[in-house]
Amino acid sequence: MSGQNTQLRNVYAEKALEQIPRLLSLQDRNRYSPTYGCFKRAFWMDKTVDYHDGLPQYGSLSLALAYTQNMPGNIFKDQEKMREWTIAGMKYWAKIQHRDGSYDEFYPNERGWTGPTGFLLYGMMRSYMLLNERGDFPETFRDEFFSAARRSANYIIKYDEHGVLANHHAMAVLPVFYTYHVLQDPSLLEGYEKKLADFMQYHHEKEGWSLEYDGADIGYLSATVSFLGKVYKLNRDERLRKVMEEATEFLSYFVYPNGFYAGSMGSRQTLHFYSHGCEILAPEMPLAGRVADALLVSLKEGKIVPAAIQSDRYFLYRIPEHLESYLDFGERRGEAKLPYERADFQKVFPESRFFIRKRGPIYLLGNAAKGGVIKLFDVESKKLLLNDCGIIGETTQGDVLTSQWVNNEYSFEHSGDSFAVSGALNPVPMSKTFTPLKRIVFVLFMLLFGWHTRLAYYIKGIIRKILVFTKAKKDVTFRREVALSDQLLRVRDSIELKGNTTFSSLQIGDEFFVRYVPQSAYFQSQEFDAKGFFLSEEQLAMLNEKKSIVLEHTVDLKRGTMGNLIVIS
């Protein structure tokens, strides 16, 4: 391994190990406490929440990896207390399990599927394997642990969830196989095949992406590659490798010249990159190694969402992902170029509705499925020239409407170096928050009725529909036309009011996130390079009175500057 690769590889370990003190500070390490091993500090110490969700116990895997593995700067290796705290976390996981094998994440009696239960089962099985191969797993806990693992695996096999999240289906494949690998129960191997078949329904092999609610999400696609890669590491199933290669090719288009990744281009607007799958695939697919290297530099430079800025709920995912990426750092064989590094091309993905153009130093991406979200880069200067998430505004009736919403009723046209998208603006469900009274009523309802697995399943489906999905408001329509020439990128937006709706505020462009996705909306420094336009009072009056307006803004490709928003008609 070259010196440069060694230095890059070490970034994984550094970024993860620096978070172990934070993780240990979240854990109840008092062996005489009734919550010994619990990683939910807000529950056992702060007393600001009244239930212990299961997901924090995923922290056990990070402790197990730090305790058992040689890594640069790892002061936690072979520390007996680390072994004790790892096992304490695993025992608390078994203690708080529901009788059906499930765990809660966001509220009591949620009985979440792979979001909490699958992640936890993988974390526990991997931790068991790490400890057991050293003879460090307590024999007195083995039967209880295996029983809890079997219950969780059977729960994952039996159920699914409302709304298609392909990465959750990939996460179902992962822990079920690991449980089979340890227990060698043929029924679990059958469960693995069942869960893999379920996942395959949501993978678009022609384009390489997997469905996240209603479209392709690039951040979560890397998670899918990672989850399947962890299985592929133990089980060289060619079906897994094929999906991983297809997905890696697709997501490579969204590794940007300025070092950032994914974001508002995707259906769930996530910014994170799960690296472990690309590291596992790197020896067999040079492009996977190139993607991993590019985004490892980005991680070093703070351009990939680091654990340090994530909440206690989600930084748990980053630590073992980085540690396992370090341990399985793949040999780089052959050369590969990222799409923006290649010769000029135009690529249209008709199913996911992405339009991508490399032309000289210009790299343009558009997502028509989200109303024409645009990113424009200068490859030579590695500069973001335009970040335009479309139209968003507030009506005088108090609704927030946007074009940045995945809608299969949008029309998508493309010709040469231009594309257009048109449809109706969508209301944004942004104001749904708990009040103390609503919270009390909700928790009481879940305590009374959430004990029933099927009922809990339907309740969660209703919650998702309220928070995530919405229908277009037919009386406000738009058309966005994007055209690339030698000198300019031209973006023209036409808005038409067909009913009584009028606007009190309207914005064109800039970076903004509108969908409820807890693992999104993290700050990135490139937000300072994004610019939006707010319609003036005169322009708003024109729209409200004439019921239509046509607006245009441009980017000078030679100078790399953005023009003002002008009214065409």
Side-chain angles (χ1 to χ4, degrees), residues 145-193:
F145 177 78
F146 284 171
S147 295
R150 192 183 301 274
R151 281 192 296 272
S152 284
N154 287 335
Y155 178 84
I156 293 167
I157 293 168
K158 183 177 181 180
Y159 295 101
D160 57 12
E161 64 186 355
H162 280 279
V164 177
L165 297 175
N167 84 92
H168 284 196
H169 285 272
M171 176 46 78
V173 172
L174 169 57
V176 170
F177 185 84
Y178 268 66
T179 309
Y180 162 73
H181 181 76
V182 171
L183 300 183
Q184 291 295 301
D185 182 340
S187 68
L188 295 175
L189 184 58
E190 293 175 7
Y192 161 75
E193 290 292 342

Side-chain angles (χ1 to χ4, degrees), residues 312-527:
D312 292 345
R313 179 185 301 278
Y314 289 117
F315 92 114
L316 296 160
Y317 296 147
R318 299 270 70 76
I319 303 172
E321 186 70 18
H322 293 335
L323 293 178
E324 293 195 287
S325 296
Y326 172 84
L327 296 171
D328 293 321
F329 190 86
E331 181 182 351
R332 278 36 172 175
R333 298 174 181 171
E335 295 184 2
K337 292 183 177 181
L338 295 169
Y340 76 79
E341 298 170 326
R342 299 171 188 170
D344 290 1
F345 69 88
Q346 178 178 295
K347 180 74 173 179
V348 177
F349 294 93
E351 292 184 8
S352 53
R353 298 188 168 194
F354 285 99
F355 178 96
I356 303 173
R357 179 72 162 106
K358 167 71 189 308
R359 179 173 169 176
I362 297 302
Y363 191 57
L364 170 67
L365 304 97
N367 185 354
K370 289 189 74 177
V373 173
I374 308 164
K375 290 185 186 291
L376 179 71
F377 299 91
D378 185 307
V379 174
E380 293 176 353
S381 66
K382 298 183 178 181
K383 183 180 178 182
L384 175 66
L385 301 180
L386 177 67
N387 190 108
D388 186 332
C389 284
I391 302 165
I392 188 169
E394 185 173 4
T395 69
T396 52
Q397 293 80 15
D399 296 322
V400 175
L401 305 180
T402 186
S403 60
Q404 198 223 124
W405 202 267
V406 180
N407 190 327
N408 58 17
E409 294 183 1
Y410 287 161
S411 69
F412 173 39
E413 311 154 32
H414 59 89
S415 176
D417 283 347
S418 64
F419 73 92
V421 56
S422 58
L425 297 186
N426 292 261
V428 180
M430 299 184 74
S431 60
K432 296 178 175 65
T433 55
F434 272 120
T435 64
L437 180 59
K438 287 180 181 178
R439 176 72 183 178
I440 290 170
V441 172
F442 175 71
V443 170
L444 283 174
F445 180 83
M446 291 308 303
L447 291 175
L448 288 171
F449 300 105
W451 59 269
H452 190 280
T453 302
R454 282 291 181 188
L455 186 55
Y457 170 88
Y458 287 115
I459 292 169
K460 186 164 186 176
I462 293 170
I463 292 171
R464 272 197 173 151
K465 287 180 180 179
I466 292 172
L467 293 178
V468 177
F469 298 104
T470 184
K471 293 183 179 180
K473 193 174 180 65
K474 301 292 186 180
D475 58 350
V476 183
T477 60
F478 76 97
R479 178 177 174 83
R480 166 162 281 203
E481 300 171 0
V482 181
L484 181 67
S485 67
D486 291 338
Q487 304 294 326
L488 293 174
L489 177 76
R490 190 182 308 276
V491 182
R492 179 171 292 187
D493 291 304
S494 305
I495 303 170
E496 185 175 355
L497 311 182
K498 295 183 178 180
N500 296 322
T501 299
T502 54
F503 281 90
S504 59
S505 176
L506 195 65
Q507 174 186 334
I508 306 292
D510 209 342
E511 179 81 319
F512 56 86
F513 302 99
V514 293
R515 181 165 245 176
Y516 173 75
V517 181
Q519 282 220 71
S520 69
Y522 294 106
F523 168 74
Q524 292 190 315
S525 59
Q526 67 173 343
E527 290 182 41

Side-chain angles (χ1 to χ4, degrees), residues 33-224:
S33 169
T35 54
Y36 178 46
C38 176
F39 285 92
K40 183 81 170 182
R41 186 182 178 95
F43 174 70
W44 65 263
M45 171 63 85
D46 301 339
K47 319 296 185 189
T48 55
V49 296
D50 52 11
Y51 79 104
H52 42 69
D53 57 313
L55 190 58
Q57 299 313 114
Y58 190 63
S60 293
L61 175 55
S62 297
L63 300 190
L65 287 163
Y67 167 64
T68 60
Q69 303 300 309
N70 288 313
M71 290 171 282
N74 184 10
I75 64 171
F76 310 99
K77 175 75 161 58
D78 295 329
Q79 296 286 352
E80 176 60 21
K81 286 184 176 181
M82 288 291 287
R83 185 188 76 87
E84 294 174 1
W85 294 333
T86 301
I87 294 168
M90 298 171 77
K91 287 184 175 180
Y92 195 76
W93 164 80
K95 177 181 177 180
I96 64 174
Q97 185 184 60
H98 286 302
R99 285 183 295 178
D100 61 7
S102 68
Y103 290 85
D104 301 329
E105 182 178 5
F106 292 104
Y107 52 85
N109 278 344
E110 177 188 358
R111 300 178 186 274
W113 191 47
T114 58
T117 305
F119 266 102
L120 285 166
L121 181 56
Y122 166 69
M124 296 304 149
M125 299 313 295
R126 181 78 171 106
S127 298
Y128 169 82
M129 292 162 64
L130 290 165
L131 294 176
N132 191 59
E133 67 185 15
R134 292 165 51 106
D136 280 340
F137 192 85
E139 191 64 38
T140 55
F141 179 45
R142 195 180 303 272
D143 288 345
E144 179 186 354
F145 177 78
F146 284 171
S147 295
R150 192 183 301 274
R151 281 192 296 272
S152 284
N154 287 335
Y155 178 84
I156 293 167
I157 293 168
K158 183 177 181 180
Y159 295 101
D160 57 12
E161 64 186 355
H162 280 279
V164 177
L165 297 175
N167 84 92
H168 284 196
H169 285 272
M171 176 46 78
V173 172
L174 169 57
V176 170
F177 185 84
Y178 268 66
T179 309
Y180 162 73
H181 181 76
V182 171
L183 300 183
Q184 291 295 301
D185 182 340
S187 68
L188 295 175
L189 184 58
E190 293 175 7
Y192 161 75
E193 290 292 342
K194 179 179 184 295
K195 294 292 104 174
L196 182 56
D198 289 346
F199 165 79
M200 288 297 190
Q201 298 178 68
Y202 308 118
H203 178 67
H204 294 251
E205 61 178 338
K206 289 183 180 179
E207 295 187 356
W209 55 279
S210 302
L211 188 64
E212 294 289 332
Y213 283 141
D214 41 21
D217 185 78
I218 300 94
Y220 273 119
L221 186 60
S222 72
T224 293

